[in-house]
Amino acid sequence: MMKRAKALFLGLLSPSSLLLAGSVSAESATRQLNMPRGVTEVSQAAYDIHMIMIWICTVIGVLVFGFMFYVMYAHRKSRGVTPANFHENLVVEVLWTIIPALILIVMAVPATTALLKVYDTGNPDIDIKVTGYQWKWQYEYIGEGVKFMSELRTSQDEIYGRAPKGEHYLREVTQPLVIPTNKKVRFLITGNDVIHSWWVPDFGVKRDAVPGLFTAAWAKTDQPGTYVGECTELCGLGHAFMPVVVEVKEEAEYEQWLAGKKEEAALYASTIGKQWTFDELMVKGEEVYGRSCAGCHQANGEGIAGVFPALKDSPIALGPAEGHIGILIEGVAGSSMQSFAEQLSEVEIAAVVHYERNAWGNDVGDIVQPIDVLNFKQSQ
Amino acid sequence: MSETSRHRGLLIKLLMGAVAMFAFAIFVLPPLYDLFCEFTGIGGKTGGAYTVSEVTIDTSRKVEVQFVATNNATMPWDFYPTEYKVFVHPGESREITFFARNKTSSDMVAQAIPNVLPNNAADYFLKTECFCFNNQPLGAGEQAELAVVFVIDPDLPVSVNTVTLSYTLFDITDRMPMQVSQIQ
Amino acid sequence: MAHGPSQNFFSRWLFSTNHKDIGTLYLWFSFAMFLLGGFFAMVIRAELFQPGMQLIKPEFFVQMTTMHGLVMVFGAIMPAFVGLANWMIPMMIGAPDMALPRMNNLSFWILPFAFTMLTATLFMEGGGPNFGWTFYAPLSTTYAPDTVNYFIFGVHMMGASSIMGSINIIATVMNMRAPGMTYMKMPLFVWTWVITAFLLVAVMPVLAGAVTMMLMDINFGTSFFDAAGGGDPVLFQHVFWFFGHPEVYIIILPAFGVVSQIIPTFSRKPLFGYSSMVYATASIAFLSFIVWAHHMFTVGMPIAGELYFMYATMLIAVPTGVKVFNWITTMYKGALTFETPMLFSIAFVILFTFGGFTGMMLSIAAADTQYHDTYFVVAHFHYVMVAGAVFSGTAAVYYWLPKWCGRMYDETMGKVQFWIAFIAFNITFMPQHFLGLAGMPRRYSDYGLQFADWNMVSSIGAFLYGGAQLLFLYNVIRTIGWGKPIDDPQVWEGAVGLEWTVPTPAPFHTFSTPPVVK
């Protein structure tokens, strides 16, 4: 009977027509009014306590403001009322101190149980290290040897209005995080440079990514699908441009995907010697430049005076290839130019260096191959 | 007492209060914060070197200890644990190593900062030896196997079965010019 | 001997030691800052009108959000209430001036210098501060632009101004009350300001400590907030919010005081529950010290800490509720009229309480996992700070302007300004709750397509609200220059207090001889 009562109560808490909750994917609704109920125990606990609070506050609001509006109507001077003079009443004052305190205690109970769920990170089936970079995420499947960057895929052209915005504008990445259904996944979250924050609303997961320490969160769901989240701690100019995309696959599909990733890594290592053509590298390089470099150095390579150096006509881009590669591998100490050695593959670095040397009229004309980049890294 | 001197009295007292709060913020809050973290083990901060005393090994339980390595922004070394997890009995001393290689063409100095999850396990994770106690100089192209010797306190709460020890490697070459010049 | 102000324009305003003139300086300065901060907000809302980057680049956008926060909090709202304190506290307690008039002058004149320097950083190489008004490390230390040292210096300057102003208020109220004015006979505006002043003296130095540690990390190789050197970025957050939470009560407590003066006047009935109002204010101030980490619920605090901060934060609802009930009960069985100050005050009670409800929701740590750093938080604090503090400040100006300048504002224009502001405010900020719940984080220069509609609505409201502020400026200037002269000391039928016994407009010196209070 308690179970039915609870189900009924929770059912009543569920939205009326306008409060569109329960949407499985937060991607869909425009003009959405309410938070999604999500697909994990944690997101649902958060949603339920959120609704309880809304209802309690609505009832209190209706009572208090209703009374106030009544007073504004009934006790207007223009109605000819004479003002009273009382200014104290012990009974009333004690009551309206004690009753709110009791209501708080009522709120505190479900609030506490919900929080206990958030912290229940023990005994996971899978551990994934999540690292926040300026401005992308890195995911590493601990113990599996699978590690990759997940970067915004939306083009600079779309952002700056030079091309129409796609359906998944700012909510699409190069490689999403993939997890299986029905397995408890623990996320070990840290920051590479500044503080970021990893949030997936449908999982009810949000934990800061702080450089130098790790925070933990967990998710377990039985609902396959694509779930989109965001970075939720100001981390610089790219803060709005590093979404989180998680694909939940059925177990068998997940295992297949994981195996494929391992194969990919092996294949990459074995084909590192492949010779790319000039044009292949330009196309790839432009794509990498758009998502990893244009945010600072701008799409036209002109940078921002005094802040981000121009690459167009730059002595480094026009100079020896080795020096140019070196900047990307080692970064520039004391500046915002990080080392990209861990964030971009040898193919990506070769392509983007090649692109920078030949775009915007730079026209150096040489070709930088992925094997050149690998050799550079190994000769260090 | 004249009004002026009453004003002055209050002014001086309140100014001293302001200065005291300033001093509190800079000189008391940071060490208080560190002490609090160390004392309660919260925030995942582990303490300094632990000197081994007689500890009985609790063979009735096994704890999974995972190792995670990560580089901070300007740190380009290869850095990873040689095994990513081990099982130990609380009270049992165990050594594991982390591999580090300076891939660059310059001598560098690193500092590893540890972190333990879950937070309430940090107090029970006792390191008798750790490469994180000192900074790590490595010459250009040099590599090393860095050791951690640890023991899990048998008083580790029963609810904790998995402990994750992570290290973030930072580049502190700029702060350590003397050390760098000593690398040969 | 009472005399008028100096005839020389420069010596009157640059060297003033008169609480009325200094109050006027603070008020005009704060309004100029309000327009400046409002301009930054217009840039933000114009860019967010549609998805995509149309007007500015992301790195300038984050400078705008940072400067909007800094200028509004430290340049507009705090100095505005200091200005009101300067004008009204001496008259309310029957004192001739503030306790330390020359320090009063210094407190004010620091501010234009500090904010000129801060605003100038926008034009310097590297751009202005871009790390949010909350300037978390290491974004604000290792990754800060070169102008960060000017930012730190500016914070120190305006912090010094606040501390000196607060000391002045405490000394004035403790030492200069007229005979017979016991503490429990003081107007509530004076009480809320005294308590606020103690809060300021306690926590402004902590902010100074935080920026000094930042300065040392950036320039002198220390590692307070740098993990590599054994420090901790999370320490910054604790120190900042130890200041930051009391800071928001510093902002709102004087606003509570203003409303507690206005509502009884237009209800023609004494404030209900005077002593509990005083105790509630003191409780709120005390509680404000022990709840700071509710701003840090996602940073990975252990559960015991998170539970404690959740419970402590929820407790603040009790004394705040007491105040709201007292205001409403003051109106109950009064004889109400709805002049402009009363309209703003009633709107304050309703909208601030609404902001309090979203505050309660935010205090629930498990739900905060979904609200933290989203537009839900932005909506919450704009309800309490704009519909709260700014509406209260606006009410205060309409209420006291006739006393200050001897001219009455145009009541119809006042009401028009109120309704435009009220409607525009809600159009701007109500949709931001939905944006946050739907998943849009704060400080975002761009957003996914599903957030477009509410962003557009919010931006339209914002521009309307900006227009309402220009109308407010017009109303004030028109009143001062061409308003209907009024010489009734009492100005408002229901007004009670020493400030309503002095002539209208208030002479340059009042209460040179202290009145006797029965």
Side-chain angles (χ1 to χ4, degrees):
Chain A
M1 158 130 170
M2 280 304 290
K3 260 193 167 172
R4 276 189 61 205
K6 185 174 170 192
L8 179 63
F9 181 53
L10 284 175
L12 281 174
L13 292 183
S14 290
S16 54
S17 55
L18 276 184
L19 301 175
L20 319 151
S23 52
V24 164
S25 165
E27 277 214 74
S28 42
T30 59
R31 291 189 215 159
Q32 189 171 322
L33 288 178
N34 201 359
M35 72 165 68
R37 189 151 190 270
V39 301
T40 66
E41 223 180 291
V42 175
S43 70
Q44 288 164 0
Y47 176 83
D48 290 341
I49 182 91
H50 160 78
M51 291 309 294
I52 290 175
M53 295 298 291
I54 286 187
W55 281 113
I56 295 179
C57 292
T58 304
V59 169
I60 296 176
V62 164
L63 290 173
V64 171
F65 300 145
F67 178 69
M68 202 174 158
F69 290 133
Y70 163 74
V71 168
M72 281 159 63
Y73 168 76
H75 299 157
R76 285 169 293 148
K77 182 178 175 198
S78 56
R79 281 187 103 206
V81 299
T82 332
N85 206 35
F86 66 86
H87 53 84
E88 243 136 43
N89 184 318
L90 188 62
V91 172
V92 152
E93 295 191 59
V94 165
L95 277 178
W96 69 39
T97 309
I98 293 191
I99 293 179
L102 291 174
I103 296 178
L104 287 184
I105 296 177
V106 164
M107 291 170 176
V109 175
T112 307
T113 43
L115 195 62
L116 287 167
K117 292 207 167 84
V118 172
Y119 276 81
D120 178 23
T121 54
N123 301 316
D125 298 313
I126 300 177
D127 274 303
I128 298 183
K129 181 169 86 138
V130 175
T131 309
Y133 282 70
Q134 282 179 319
W135 290 282
K136 64 203 88 166
W137 297 97
Q138 182 197 65
Y139 300 119
E140 179 179 340
Y141 291 70
I142 295 181
E144 302 283 0
V146 174
K147 179 160 89 163
F148 55 85
M149 307 298 294
S150 179
E151 202 172 355
L152 176 71
R153 198 149 53 97
T154 304
S155 67
Q156 292 286 302
D157 283 343
E158 282 175 84
I159 294 173
Y160 285 93
R162 297 187 287 265
K165 294 174 173 52
E167 184 197 343
H168 299 293
Y169 179 73
L170 293 192
R171 291 164 77 78
E172 51 191 347
V173 295
T174 48
Q175 293 186 79
L177 179 68
V178 179
I179 63 174
T181 51
N182 295 308
K183 285 276 195 277
K184 185 171 186 180
V185 182
R186 182 172 65 149
F187 304 101
L188 297 168
I189 304 170
T190 188
N192 175 67
D193 31 52
V194 297
I195 303 179
H196 302 263
S197 188
W198 198 74
W199 182 36
V200 183
D202 283 299
F203 291 174
V205 166
K206 182 186 291 159
R207 274 298 178 254
D208 288 359
V210 185
L213 61 95
F214 279 78
T215 54
W218 69 278
K220 179 175 177 184
T221 178
D222 57 7
Q223 304 199 35
T226 304
Y227 303 101
V228 181
E230 309 276 6
C231 174
T232 39
E233 187 59 60
L234 178 63
C235 53
L237 64 93
H239 177 46
F241 302 102
M242 47 184 291
V244 175
V245 178
V246 186
E247 272 178 26
V248 178
K249 295 187 193 283
E250 298 286 1
E251 271 181 73
E253 230 189 298
Y254 165 77
E255 294 297 343
Q256 227 177 22
W257 172 86
L258 193 64
K261 277 310 228 194
K262 294 182 186 175
E263 260 175 51
E264 220 178 88
L267 185 67
Y268 177 84
S270 70
T271 57
I272 191 70
K274 170 189 162 186
Q275 295 289 299
W276 293 56
T277 68
F278 188 99
D279 291 327
E280 280 174 334
L281 285 167
M282 283 301 278
V283 168
K284 179 80 178 162
E286 190 176 0
E287 185 254 322
V288 175
Y289 184 84
R291 59 176 156 86
S292 289
C293 320
C296 296
H297 291 290
Q298 308 305 307
N300 58 13
E302 287 172 16
I304 298 200
V307 188
F308 306 120
L311 301 179
K312 176 181 149 101
D313 301 325
S314 111
I316 294 171
L318 299 175
E322 194 171 300
H324 192 170
I325 296 173
I327 299 269
L328 269 90
I329 300 288
E330 293 174 6
V332 177
S335 79
S336 323
M337 178 66 189
Q338 306 181 352
S339 153
F340 278 82
E342 278 205 32
Q343 302 176 41
L344 295 176
S345 67
E346 288 82 7
V347 170
E348 288 169 323
I349 291 181
V352 80
V353 166
H354 174 84
Y355 176 76
E356 288 164 5
R357 298 171 73 72
N358 292 292
W360 320 300
N362 278 355
D363 293 334
V364 176
D366 61 4
I367 298 183
V368 177
Q369 296 287 357
I371 192 71
D372 299 328
V373 176
L374 183 65
N375 288 337
F376 179 93
K377 282 165 111 176
Q378 289 178 338
S379 72
Q380 295 281 274
Chain B
M1 203 196 307
S2 79
E3 198 175 274
T4 319
S5 61
R6 273 158 67 216
H7 293 331
R8 282 219 192 101
L10 255 182
L11 171 65
I12 290 172
K13 282 191 207 122
L14 290 167
L15 270 177
M16 277 170 36
V19 170
M21 286 305 287
F22 178 77
F24 169 74
I26 299 193
F27 299 110
V28 177
L29 269 182
L32 199 65
Y33 175 79
D34 282 339
L35 240 112
F36 191 68
C37 290
E38 223 181 280
F39 175 70
T40 56
I42 62 189
K45 291 187 199 297
T46 51
Y50 170 75
T51 36
V52 182
S53 54
E54 276 307 302
V55 191
T56 45
I57 299 180
D58 179 356
T59 47
S60 68
R61 62 189 284 213
K62 262 208 238 178
V63 178
E64 177 182 331
V65 184
Q66 294 178 330
F67 305 101
V68 176
T70 198
N71 284 351
N72 186 251
T74 52
M75 169 46 77
W77 294 7
D78 277 338
F79 178 57
Y80 49 82
T82 49
E83 28 190 353
Y84 86 93
K85 75 170 159 199
V86 297
F87 289 89
V88 298
H89 296 298
E92 176 193 335
S93 182
R94 189 64 173 265
E95 172 176 324
I96 68 123
T97 51
F98 279 71
F99 176 82
R101 184 159 72 93
N102 178 351
K103 303 193 295 189
T104 71
S105 48
S106 20
D107 300 335
M108 291 177 67
V109 185
Q111 177 67 53
I113 302 289
N115 185 255
V116 169
L117 284 172
N119 289 333
N120 57 343
D123 241 358
Y124 303 94
F125 192 91
L126 311 163
K127 305 195 288 281
T128 48
E129 235 182 84
C130 180
F131 61 89
C132 58
F133 293 154
N134 308 302
N135 52 54
Q136 293 299 320
L138 275 184
E142 225 190 298
Q143 64 193 51
E145 290 218 348
L146 308 170
V148 184
V149 181
F150 67 90
V151 62
I152 307 256
D153 191 321
D155 290 332
L156 179 76
V158 183
S159 54
V160 181
N161 300 322
T162 314
V163 174
T164 307
L165 171 68
S166 56
Y167 286 102
T168 307
L169 202 63
F170 286 87
D171 173 11
I172 56 168
T173 312
D174 292 337
R175 301 164 208 237
M176 303 268 132
M178 285 302 295
Q179 285 219 255
V180 172
S181 64
Q182 278 163 14
I183 298 173
Q184 272 317 318
Chain C
M1 235 16 71
H3 60 83
S6 162
Q7 291 306 304
N8 179 304
F9 176 85
F10 288 103
S11 57
R12 175 174 179 184
W13 295 106
L14 252 55
F15 305 134
S16 176
T17 52
N18 178 278
H19 73 99
K20 300 186 179 73
D21 275 0
I22 292 177
T24 301
L25 284 169
Y26 267 107
L27 287 166
W28 280 115
F29 171 78
S30 71
F31 195 75
M33 290 292 103
F34 185 57
L35 291 178
L36 179 67
F39 171 70
F40 297 148
M42 296 299 106
V43 172
I44 292 170
R45 288 302 339 158
E47 179 55 61
L48 292 178
F49 183 68
Q50 283 181 301
M53 302 302 298
Q54 289 89 22
L55 302 169
I56 56 175
K57 296 251 164 58
E59 59 268 14
F60 188 68
F61 183 90
V62 291
Q63 289 174 49
M64 287 289 97
T65 51
T66 304
M67 292 296 287
H68 169 70
L70 288 169
V71 167
M72 285 306 205
V73 170
F74 296 118
I77 203 77
M78 286 172 77
F81 280 98
V82 174
L84 294 175
N86 258 289
W87 251 109
M88 302 311 299
I89 290 181
M91 291 200 288
M92 284 178 166
I93 60 175
D97 207 301
M98 298 291 285
L100 300 153
R102 278 170 292 188
M103 190 169 84
N104 206 11
N105 176 291
L106 177 64
S107 302
F108 171 74
W109 277 109
I110 287 179
L111 293 181
F113 287 100
F115 283 90
T116 304
M117 179 172 61
L118 188 63
T119 312
T121 59
L122 286 172
F123 302 99
M124 296 180 190
E125 201 174 289
N130 57 6
F131 27 69
W133 88 277
T134 52
F135 56 102
Y136 282 6
L139 184 63
S140 62
T141 51
T142 316
Y143 293 82
D146 289 336
T147 53
V148 67
N149 290 316
Y150 293 111
F151 160 78
I152 292 174
F153 193 31
V155 169
H156 269 301
M157 285 176 86
M158 73 69 211
S161 162
S162 283
I163 294 172
M164 289 191 288
S166 306
I167 292 178
N168 225 332
I169 288 171
I170 293 171
T172 307
V173 172
M174 287 181 80
N175 295 340
M176 295 171 69
R177 283 161 294 127
M181 171 149 309
T182 58
Y183 283 117
M184 291 311 265
K185 285 207 185 125
M186 297 194 308
L188 212 60
F189 180 69
V190 180
W191 260 116
T192 53
W193 244 118
V194 168
I195 292 175
T196 302
F198 276 108
L199 279 179
L200 272 164
V201 171
V203 299
M204 237 28 224
V206 175
L207 180 69
V211 295
T212 306
M213 290 192 269
M214 229 177 108
L215 187 80
M216 296 205 275
D217 270 16
I218 293 171
N219 299 300
F220 302 119
T222 54
S223 299
F224 287 101
F225 310 127
D226 180 6
D232 190 346
V234 179
L235 172 66
F236 177 88
Q237 296 184 32
H238 283 290
V239 180
F240 178 83
W241 287 115
F242 190 79
F243 149 79
H245 195 78
E247 164 69 10
V248 309
Y249 290 98
I250 286 167
I251 290 176
I252 204 64
L253 255 40
F256 287 165
V258 166
V259 166
S260 303
Q261 301 294 137
I262 293 179
I263 290 186
T265 297
F266 295 96
S267 307
R268 295 162 181 75
K269 192 162 152 281
L271 180 68
F272 183 88
Y274 174 89
S275 354
S276 33
M277 288 298 249
V278 174
Y279 298 131
T281 309
S283 320
I284 292 172
F286 167 73
L287 282 171
S288 76
F289 277 104
I290 58 174
V291 298
W292 74 89
H294 65 233
H295 299 272
M296 299 162 56
F297 274 153
T298 60
V299 87
M301 237 192 302
I303 190 170
E306 207 144 300
L307 283 171
Y308 160 73
F309 280 110
M310 173 170 84
Y311 300 142
T313 307
M314 290 167 77
L315 274 181
I316 301 192
V318 175
T320 313
V322 164
K323 296 181 85 82
V324 172
F325 300 140
N326 280 356
W327 287 318
I328 298 178
T329 312
T330 305
M331 293 164 67
Y332 177 70
K333 294 214 170 137
L336 304 172
T337 51
F338 300 99
E339 287 87 332
T340 307
M342 185 60 163
L343 288 175
F344 274 104
S345 301
I346 291 174
F348 171 97
V349 174
I350 297 174
L351 297 174
F352 174 81
T353 303
F354 186 86
F357 287 146
T358 54
M360 282 300 301
M361 294 167 70
L362 286 162
S363 73
I364 307 296
D368 188 54
T369 311
Q370 305 286 53
Y371 308 137
H372 175 73
D373 238 87
T374 66
Y375 262 87
F376 191 80
V377 178
V378 177
H380 159 73
F381 65 69
H382 283 95
Y383 264 80
V384 291
M385 286 214 283
V386 180
V390 173
F391 274 27
S392 164
T394 313
V397 171
Y398 280 111
Y399 185 55
W400 284 319
L401 188 59
K403 174 62 67 179
W404 297 338
C405 69
R407 292 176 184 268
M408 196 41 143
Y409 65 86
D410 182 308
E411 185 57 54
T412 308
M413 290 303 289
K415 288 194 164 86
V416 166
Q417 197 253 316
F418 165 76
W419 283 108
I420 299 179
F422 177 81
I423 292 170
F425 167 83
N426 281 293
I427 295 177
T428 310
F429 293 109
M430 182 56 73
Q432 293 188 2
H433 294 103
F434 311 142
L435 283 172
L437 294 179
M440 181 173 171
R442 59 188 287 202
R443 298 165 169 165
Y444 260 36
S445 54
D446 195 3
Y447 49 81
L449 300 177
Q450 76 273 40
F451 300 126
D453 287 354
W454 290 131
N455 266 295
M456 185 177 278
V457 171
S458 177
S459 290
I460 293 172
F463 278 94
L464 207 60
Y465 185 74
Q469 304 323 303
L470 296 177
L471 181 55
F472 177 56
L473 178 63
Y474 168 79
N475 279 352
V476 170
I477 292 179
R478 187 180 153 186
T479 306
I480 295 174
W482 298 274
K484 176 163 167 245
I486 173 173
D487 60 9
D488 175 7
Q490 201 179 351
V491 183
W492 307 106
E493 184 190 13
V496 171
L498 285 176
E499 70 273 25
W500 304 109
T501 63
V502 305
T504 303
F508 195 63
H509 290 301
T510 43
F511 296 125
S512 305
T513 323
V516 176
V517 175
K518 293 174 202 68

